[in-house]
Amino acid sequence: MIEGELMPKSATHQSYLDRLNRVDDYIHAHLEDDLSVERLAEVACLSPYHWSRIYAAMRGETVAVRIRRLRLQRAADRLANTDIAMDKISMLAGYGSTDTFGRAFRDVLGDTPAQFRAAGKHAAFKKAVSTCDAQGFPVSVVTLPEQRCASIDHVGSYMQIDHAIGRLFAELSKQGGLPETPSMIGVFFDDPDAGEESELRSRACMPIGNDIAIGEPLGETKLKAGHYAQLNYTGPYAAMREAYRWLLGTWLPASGYEPGDAPIFEAYLNDPSQVPQTELRTDIHLPLHVLR
């Protein structure tokens, strides 16, 4: 390139996407560390005067909002699914006091951390499991066609699959294969109660047409056609573990079905960056084998 000549617009756009992807990778890997604006500007290799506004314009939310959302999402997961002390959860979420943490948590989740731990949506699922309430939550049996998906693998906490979803979205957009109305799916291969969290295998998927080429680093995944139990869940992702326990431990044994030979997948019906966590809608799909 001749000195002083500008890069082609396509190359410039991809350069910005690559740099913002590095920022997202760094945020997920260091969510409990000090994520200063200056450090993230270094990761992005962009001017500290402008990079955060570029991030917000290209990602649809400010970097501060994203960090706050991800930290509180992880805190909600710990409150719902562990016995870690409240003050430690507050510290890991980056808050200097439990009072400040409590106010921020209530703003996003609608309850204080103590209320969420004691009576959040996960607590309702636990009650349903303990009472074997087979009528407690909406489940329907649906028949789905085979779905061809572009996909990218994720290893680690299921609560961090949104990282893989973001990379899938960006990569498919780069390859020109992004559908006009994209839909996101998470496929989960392991029992989170039976193994190390760092080794859990999942896959971010996006249904695409058969005429769309899929290039590396993406792969192709085909979701099986067949019967599925579809549980309609509304609420924070952190509380879904008990929904799974209810579906598998209460609904399935009373249903007359057996589980099919395929992994469970989740279809995400709205965007966590656009709606409160209390309004997130997810359809959990359990493959079924119909007994003859």
Side-chain angles (χ1 to χ4, degrees):
M1 180 177 291
I2 299 173
E3 184 176 354
E5 183 179 347
L6 296 177
M7 285 191 296
K9 287 184 178 180
S10 59
T12 304
H13 186 264
Q14 186 55 48
S15 172
Y16 278 98
L17 286 177
D18 290 343
R19 285 183 275 185
L20 296 189
N21 285 341
R22 285 203 304 270
V23 171
D24 288 335
D25 289 344
Y26 189 87
I27 288 171
H28 279 84
H30 299 86
L31 193 56
E32 290 162 4
D33 299 334
D34 178 23
L35 294 171
S36 68
V37 171
E38 293 76 17
R39 177 63 189 129
L40 294 179
E42 292 175 3
V43 173
C45 294
L46 287 168
S47 165
Y49 296 107
H50 309 299
W51 86 270
S52 60
R53 285 184 289 183
I54 294 168
Y55 185 97
M58 295 187 72
R59 287 291 193 253
E61 65 179 344
T62 68
V63 69
V65 167
R66 176 162 294 197
I67 292 169
R68 178 175 181 260
R69 175 170 61 81
L70 293 175
R71 283 175 169 171
L72 290 175
Q73 181 175 292
R74 187 173 292 184
D77 178 46
R78 286 173 168 145
L79 288 166
N81 301 308
T82 76
D83 295 322
I84 297 175
M86 199 82 69
D87 57 348
K88 185 173 182 180
I89 293 175
S90 171
M91 179 191 67
L92 291 171
Y95 291 88
S97 73
T98 54
D99 287 343
T100 306
F101 169 62
R103 287 193 295 270
F105 191 92
R106 184 177 57 201
D107 287 345
V108 173
L109 275 297
D111 290 324
T112 66
Q115 289 169 335
F116 182 81
R117 172 166 269 177
K121 189 128 188 173
H122 56 284
F125 282 114
K126 286 179 181 178
K127 181 179 179 181
V129 170
S130 65
T131 60
C132 295
D133 180 4
Q135 304 301 317
F137 305 97
V139 177
S140 55
V141 176
V142 299
T143 303
L144 300 180
E146 181 180 85
Q147 297 185 79
R148 177 179 182 256
C149 300
S151 60
I152 191 165
D153 288 340
H154 172 70
V155 178
S157 169
Y158 284 164
M159 290 295 294
Q160 296 180 31
I161 195 174
D162 55 349
H163 184 205
I165 287 174
R167 296 305 300 271
L168 170 60
F169 193 98
E171 187 61 38
L172 202 54
S173 177
K174 171 185 170 182
Q175 295 183 19
L178 194 66
E180 186 174 342
T181 54
S183 56
M184 300 306 306
I185 289 172
V187 181
F188 301 92
F189 298 98
D190 299 312
D191 178 357
D193 295 320
E196 293 294 327
E197 184 177 69
S198 61
E199 299 176 1
L200 296 175
R201 298 168 301 144
S202 56
R203 183 172 296 162
C205 296
M206 182 183 293
I208 59 172
N210 291 326
D211 58 331
I212 302 297
I214 301 174
E216 295 184 349
L218 304 181
E220 179 179 281
T221 295
K222 290 187 177 179
L223 302 180
K224 286 185 177 181
H227 300 291
Y228 289 82
Q230 178 179 283
L231 186 151
N232 309 122
Y233 173 84
T234 300
Y237 297 145
M240 278 203 289
R241 187 176 297 192
E242 294 300 334
Y244 275 84
R245 290 172 178 156
W246 177 82
L247 180 64
L248 294 166
T250 300
W251 182 87
L252 183 63
S255 69
Y257 295 98
E258 288 189 357
D261 187 23
I264 283 179
F265 71 85
E266 299 171 359
Y268 307 109
L269 307 183
N270 50 13
D271 186 339
S273 69
Q274 302 296 321
V275 302
Q277 292 195 29
T278 52
E279 297 176 15
L280 291 171
R281 295 187 297 119
T282 307
D283 284 345
I284 300 172
H285 294 86
L286 169 66
L288 298 174
H289 174 68
V290 180
L291 298 177
R292 301 296 182 184

